[in-house]
Amino acid sequence: MGRDYYAVLQITRSATDADIKKAYRRLALKYHPNTNSEPGSADKFNQLAEAYDVLSDLRKKATYDKFGEEGLKGGIPPEFGGSGAWTSGYTYHGNADKVFTDFFGGDNPFSDFFPEGGEEAKAGFGGLRGQGVKKQDPPIERDLYLSLEDLFYGCTKKIKISRRVMNEDGHTSNIKDKILNIDVKPGWKQGTKITFPKEGDQGPNNIPADIVFVVKEKQHPRFTREQDDLIYTSHVHLEKALVGCSVDMETLDGRLLNIPINDIIHPKYTKVVPGEGMPLIRNPSLKGNLIIQFEIHFPEKLTSEKKQLLKQALTL
């Protein structure tokens, strides 16, 4: 004949989902081993967990209602297997404490019996409460690649994420898309983190993870960045390095600069142009420096006449 899960929970077959939850809550608290030491209470507690595990799941319940315990656990013939049928056979995992903890989540199920902070609660049920506390999933980090122009001006980035969202019944879920807006501030640096609290997958017994975007700088064709400074490399021939030249370059905001170089350019020489770097995050109206480095191109060969002229010119 098979086990009558409805009788175990002391409800009728017309019971609603709310009735099933109410019955399990009342009886599980009554027969929990921490509150009931009578012979057979542990077995009763386990039967309640199995009954609730089946009747609280729409697919298992539908199969049980039609085919009984034998059909539920043994599997049903393919010709009877609809899209919602439990055709593979159900096996109870046997962990009544897990069912109990998942049901009550982070709530204290014994608050009806003991005052908050009472000695009985501390001594008898502290471990159980610890198991029931919901834990938050670890943060999910994603890279956010931004150009130097994005970080120079600031911008808004729209990121689409897909996450699991619980349905109103509190048991089932589905995947939904969501758009997250990130307001990029001028001067943000690589490694800046933007956190969206609890935007991860939802579940009946977890706190959703925070989603954290970590700023990564895209490679730029003209500049590299060091903190608030921009580094630019200018290529000059040897004669200009010795006699002077000017560097023409376009800034991130589209202006053309002509920077005269009157010093002798040696391999370690740099030219610092104040205020032409990245905006300062604390005060975007102020900027770091532009640092011009130089790569000197030497001639591949010289005629004897040119060598003599150079020797005369460079002789002190």
Side-chain angles (χ1 to χ4, degrees), residues 55-69:
L55 298 183
S56 64
D57 185 289
L58 294 178
R59 293 176 63 196
K60 298 174 192 173
K61 182 177 182 296
T63 304
Y64 173 75
D65 287 344
K66 187 171 184 179
F67 299 100
E69 184 186 14

Side-chain angles (χ1 to χ4, degrees), residues 189-210:
K189 295 181 174 66
Q190 178 152 299
T192 298
K193 293 185 176 182
I194 309 97
T195 301
F196 290 87
K198 302 179 182 179
E199 289 290 356
D201 288 339
Q202 297 178 357
N205 305 300
N206 73 308
I207 300 174
D210 296 342

Side-chain angles (χ1 to χ4, degrees), residues 301-309:
K301 59 183 180 179
L302 292 171
T303 64
S304 297
E305 181 179 1
K306 287 183 178 179
K307 288 181 181 179
Q308 187 62 34
L309 290 171

Side-chain angles (χ1 to χ4, degrees), residues 1-3 64 67-76:
M1 185 67 183
R3 190 174 311 178
Y64 173 75
F67 299 100
E69 184 186 14
E70 293 86 350
L72 176 70
K73 293 185 175 180
I76 60 176

Side-chain angles (χ1 to χ4, degrees), residues 81-96:
S83 60
W86 190 264
T87 56
S88 60
Y90 163 72
T91 301
Y92 173 52
H93 53 68
N95 191 342

